[in-house]
Amino acid sequence: MKLSVLDQSPILADMDPEKALQQTTELAAYVDKLGFHRLWVSEHHSTNSLAGSAPEILATHLAANTERIRIGTGGVLLPHYSAYKVAESFRVLETLYPNRIDLGVGRAPGGMPNVNLALNRGKLPKVEDYPKQVEQLMSYLHGEDPANMDIYATPKGASSPDVWMLGSSGTSARLAADLGTSYSFAHFINGHGGMGAMDRYRNHFTSSIQQSEPKGNVSVFAVCADTQEQAEYLASSLDLALLLIEQGGVRHHFPTPEEAMDYSYSFFQQERIKENRKRMIIGDQKTVKEEIESLADGYGVDEVIVNTIVHPFEERLRSYELIADAFNLT
């Protein structure tokens, strides 16, 4: 089974965005050496707790600072942009780093509602155009002229980046199937219905210019530590962070475990934490390995993407190290 990494460049307590991006760079080099298959970075706007707002730029930097691991976006929020421009950006990336680039795309706003207006010159993006955008994107990436305008995405090359459609519902799964892209289900966003969505993708898959067979993976929050108790302690900060996100709380950083332990939780909040734990895998090496394997079996995939957000950064590295060791990655 392949293991991969999603990193959202979290801004931890007592840390600035510059340090967050430095840590993502250090993490990329580290998991490259550990043997993880790919690393994706995300797109979030106008947030004080995540530093990754331009994944195509960050991916370029990470590819330059790694040797083997596939690098990609999880993902570019396509309704905000021109399919042609995105294709050219990733054709440049593919030319610089052949057969190492993934282009994950999504249709979420990437922030609060006003982000839509700021990114689209005061207008709302036409989300209904998203399927056509993805179709055009794939055509441009493979040297075609989908709009019949006698234009092509350059630089041309022998290989093209893989397009992955990111989603957390059956709707995105069916769209990925209809367009013939690879499909990644965000279990860390929605802990319900993912296995059915992946089945829907496989059952309705149509071959495309990119691929003839369905290819999927699943991403999940995971915290691995030397003991179950330590893992629970570290994960408490993620519990609090997700709770504050759901309540619309303004976050200037990801909380520490100490902050989480000192927080006074209501009965409703405790129940929400239990529900959010369905999006996480938490424990020692044995527990995490078994639950990752179980998740992969349930989804019918051979790749799981791990998203670890803990404080301090050294524990993030340690979590990935323990997971790599548990699966004998090389």
Side-chain angles (χ1 to χ4, degrees), residues 4-20:
S4 298
V5 175
L6 170 65
D7 193 69
Q8 298 175 290
S9 302
I11 301 174
L12 305 179
D14 302 321
M15 194 174 77
D16 58 24
E18 179 182 358
K19 186 63 176 177

Side-chain angles (χ1 to χ4, degrees), residues 143-328:
E144 296 185 346
D145 175 22
N148 294 316
M149 296 172 63
D150 196 27
I151 60 170
Y152 301 88
T154 55
K156 296 181 179 181
S159 61
S160 297
D162 287 343
V163 174
W164 287 78
M165 185 169 291
L166 315 181
S168 56
S169 70
T171 302
S172 58
R174 182 56 191 265
L175 182 56
D178 289 344
L179 297 179
T181 72
S182 298
Y183 182 61
S184 181
F185 189 87
H187 189 91
F188 75 100
I189 293 177
N190 180 11
H192 299 278
M195 296 175 189
M198 192 62 72
D199 284 340
R200 188 177 186 183
Y201 165 68
R202 277 191 294 264
N203 292 337
H204 293 90
F205 181 83
T206 303
S207 62
S208 67
I209 192 173
Q210 174 174 288
Q211 61 197 74
S212 59
E213 299 291 336
K215 181 167 65 173
N217 63 36
V218 57
S219 52
V220 64
F221 283 124
V223 178
C224 189
D226 292 292
T227 65
Q228 186 73 35
E229 293 75 18
Q230 176 69 359
E232 292 286 346
Y233 173 73
L234 294 172
S236 66
S237 61
L238 183 57
D239 289 332
L240 178 56
L242 295 179
L243 194 64
L244 294 176
I245 291 171
E246 292 177 343
Q247 296 176 345
V250 176
R251 295 180 300 137
H252 297 287
H253 62 265
F254 273 84
T256 65
E258 291 77 14
E259 289 177 287
M261 291 297 169
D262 290 340
Y263 195 87
S264 180
Y265 297 94
S266 67
F267 173 78
F268 172 77
Q269 290 172 324
Q270 292 172 348
E271 291 302 303
R272 283 305 307 165
I273 287 174
K274 291 179 184 178
E275 182 66 21
N276 283 334
R277 282 294 182 102
K278 295 176 181 178
R279 301 192 259 161
M280 307 179 196
I281 292 175
I282 298 164
D284 57 18
Q285 271 188 313
K286 181 175 182 295
T287 299
V288 169
K289 183 176 188 291
E290 290 175 351
E291 293 193 19
I292 286 178
E293 290 174 335
S294 177
L295 187 72
D297 287 342
Y299 275 83
V301 297
D302 66 353
E303 179 184 5
V304 174
I305 301 178
V306 175
N307 181 4
T308 300
I309 302 178
V310 295
H311 186 286
F313 174 64
E314 290 72 23
E315 294 291 352
R316 191 147 120 236
L317 297 179
R318 177 62 175 162
S319 181
Y320 284 116
E321 179 185 3
L322 289 170
I323 293 172
D325 180 65
F327 283 89
N328 297 315

Side-chain angles (χ1 to χ4, degrees), residues 43 45 76-83 86 106-121 123-127 130 133:
E43 177 175 340
H45 300 284
V76 170
L77 305 179
L78 194 57
H80 296 314
Y81 312 116
S82 155
V86 173
R107 61 182 172 186
M112 299 300 288
N114 282 346
V115 164
N116 280 318
L117 300 176
L119 286 171
N120 292 278
R121 295 181 292 177
K123 299 178 182 179
L124 293 176
K126 295 181 179 180
V127 180
Y130 178 62
Q133 279 189 294

